[in-house]
Amino acid sequence: HRDRLRFGCWLLPSPSEHPSCHCWFRGGAEEKQHLRGSAQIPLSVSAQVKGSQDGAGPSCVSPRAPSSVAGPQNPLEMNLCWNEIKKKSHSLRARLEAFSDHSGKLQVPLQEIIDWLGQKDEELSAQLPLRGDVLLVQQEKETHAAFMEEVKSRGPYIYSVLESAQAFLSQHPFEELEEPSSESKDVSPRHRIQNISRFVWKQANVASELWEKLTARCVDQHRHIERTLEQLLEIKGAMEELSTMLDQAESVRETWEPIGDLFIDSLPEHIQSTKLFKDELSPMKDGVKVVNDLAHQLAISDVHLSMENSRTLEHINTRWKQLQASINERLKQLQDAHRDFGPGSQHFLSSSVQVPWERAISPNKVPYYINHQAQTTCWDHPKMTELYQTLADLNNIKFSAYRTAMKLRRVQKALRLDMVTLATALEIFNEHDLQPSDRAMDVVEVIHCLTALYERLEEERGILVNVPLCVDMSLNWLLNVFDSGRSGKMRALSFKTGIACLCGTEVKEKFQYLFSQVANAGGLCDQRHLGVLLHEAIQVPRQLGEVAAFGGSNVEPSIRSCFRFSHGKSAIEASQFLEWANLEPQSMVWLAMLHRVTMAEQVKHQTKCSVCRQCPIKGFRYRSLKQFNVDICQTCFLTGRASKGNKLHYPIMEYYTPVRGQKSTWLSRAVALRCWGCPRVAALPSRPGASLQLVGRPRAGHSPRKLLQCPRADVGWGSSRLLTIPLCSHTVASAVLHGLQLSSCIPALLQLLGEASASHPVAAVPLVTPLLCRALCLPSECLHLFHTRFEPGWLSCQHFCDWSCRLAVARPR
């Protein structure tokens, strides 16, 4: 009953329009309290109100209210109120019908729009992916254009519906209310209106989103189709152009003559033309790269070329690769032919090896050797490998200088460089313009120089030389010494140093030439250039594994030793360098020893070795000065062999030339032992525990010999010296050597000592004084007295002559 009263109050006009009705509904506090009480509206009134809501109610209501209910008592006023209620009811019905009709007209088109947009979105998705053919993509473009026209024509209707929905929502706003609880079965009209408005809003939002999405996808797909079509047209044009260019290039390739039909002189021209042809194909190379890049970009965009386009592109790539391979192969064949048969050919060197070996060439022109039987490769020539194996037999030599010199002698003879003079080598160097010395030479230049050198050797000596073998082995040795890393480059100074050290020339000339290669225009050499020369020279024993005995790779001590002769100057002259080299310094003693080994090689001494009983002794001969008639060959001495019960005693005399007067007495032979030149000592490095000293150096025109002595343990190298007496008077010497009496030798000895006093300020006592005492038949006390009177070891020749004369006068008859 209260709800109906409230609904009637909602239907009534505002209090300002109907104050009487308002006053009636809004009575005093007593009336409101009474309404909240037990007052009831008669059923007839309720039915009439309900009937009025249905449009068939009575025109007037005469409520029969109890007398206790407060309200208007005038029937006229009641009729007026009821009329107002009827009007309000009709207005509400009209509003509800209009709202229902309007919301229904919006929901249906919105749902249709949503369904249509979903369908078009599926149709748009079905247009992808695009096929990689120009005609097919053009068809897709036309289809998509028609699709876009259809969507565009539908646009005004969709916009009008969305605008109507917007207007409806603006007239009927809704609030975000909580969903009604499941307990309440009835929904109020206000809630029903808000639910309808909310549903229309949702439909409008979905339709708007789908429309925006569809239009954006249409635009993107249109751009994608345009871009794809443009790329396909570009690929098609590029492939047609490449196909034409490949046809032209292949026609040129068909005109190439076989390599075997070409003249050797025309090889450089064909090489140049092939290189130019290869350069002309650079645009084609770029075109192939562009086509492949475009195809890759299309694949990334999910556009795959059609079968026809894919086959065309694959065919172009295959033809291009074949063309490139044929050009590279022909260029390689031309270069190989020019290398093997041209002016700089190494083909003639292939005969230096025999089956199963094959000579091959690396890309930097360095040769290497293939053993087809063992399936191996190596840098060393087979003959060089055998040579190195024979050098191992010399490792039993105790003294490093001799061991190194004898190894180098074997290498020198194997390379036939012992027959090449330094003058001939200089001519070849000048012809090939090997200046300046610090410029780099490649393998081809080295081969040219060596070939010219051995051909010149054949002409000058008139002998048959295996030029390919000698050139290949010399190249192998030079690379091992100066280019062990096989870079294919070596300095001209290195090449000239290697040839000069092994050529058959006097050691003094070698030193002079080597010094000239590092000296400036004024003939002076500073420490840096001298260090470069010594560093190049020390590589020779280093390759043989003997560098440690000669100071190692550190040449600074040798430089300081050499510049002691410069008298404090910053540069050294050639004469000062030769004076230093004449002392056979530790870093260069192997070169002087090589000269002595060469000289002694063909010498035969008509005597028998006391150890191995070899007769005659070949090579070096060693004779003990403290033992009677003890001669030792070079093999026994250098390897340390000794006879049973006999130990070799020092000092020892070394012979590397024949001795004149082999049948003279032992005293005359001892007197004849001499060594020309200024007295000096050359320290030869050797193995630990084996020390050897050579004293003296021969002058031109005299028979060279050496005195050897082991130094005392408390004296360093160069401390002990022996007598070197030049027998300048050959008349007296011949008288002595022809078996005269010992007493008649005394004046000759005194005369010789007098002649030697001017040029040689010192003489060694231990050698001559025993001879004189024995010749004069003096007791051993005289010798002891002489040693105690004078400083042991040394005195001037003048003092020695005076003492000898006094002994001769005082000698008892």
Side-chain angles (χ1 to χ4, degrees), residues 336-347:
D336 292 344
H338 185 261
R339 180 195 63 203
D340 294 340
F341 304 101
S345 168
Q346 298 187 34
H347 181 71

Side-chain angles (χ1 to χ4, degrees), residues 482-498:
F482 301 108
D483 185 23
S484 58
R486 291 304 195 273
S487 64
K489 297 287 185 180
M490 72 174 63
R491 294 197 302 177
L493 178 61
S494 303
F495 174 73
K496 292 186 286 188
T497 300

Side-chain angles (χ1 to χ4, degrees), residues 769-786:
T769 51
L771 299 178
L772 285 176
C773 290
R774 185 170 181 178
L776 298 173
C777 299
L778 296 176
S780 59
E781 287 80 3
C782 295
L783 180 61
H784 177 71
L785 177 62
F786 181 81

